[in-house]
Amino acid sequence: MRLFVVLSGLWATFRERVDADRDRGDVPGWVMVTVMTAALVVALMAVAIPKLRDVFTNAIDSVSG
């Protein structure tokens, strides 16, 4: 039983030091940047894909024409 108490105390001390060294404040910022970048890519693709399809189709038609 005494060994368990000592190990529990050591584990608690270790976790406190590990958590103190970790900077968690920047994670929400990176998540927001990632989500906004993904939304921007989706929005650009929604506009660009039909235009690129038209350009490709016109190019193929003019070559095979």
Side-chain angles (χ1 to χ4, degrees), residues 7-65:
L7 290 176
S8 296
L10 287 174
W11 179 251
T13 303
F14 172 74
R15 293 300 306 160
E16 286 175 9
R17 289 190 181 183
V18 168
D19 289 340
D21 290 339
R22 214 177 277 170
D23 182 20
R24 297 174 185 248
D26 201 27
V27 171
W30 281 110
V31 170
M32 187 173 71
V33 167
T34 304
V35 170
M36 289 177 66
T37 302
L40 183 61
V41 167
V42 169
L44 288 173
M45 285 176 56
V47 173
I49 286 177
K51 304 278 186 194
L52 290 172
R53 188 176 299 131
D54 291 340
V55 168
F56 180 75
T57 304
N58 290 337
I60 294 298
D61 288 343
S62 68
V63 170
S64 63

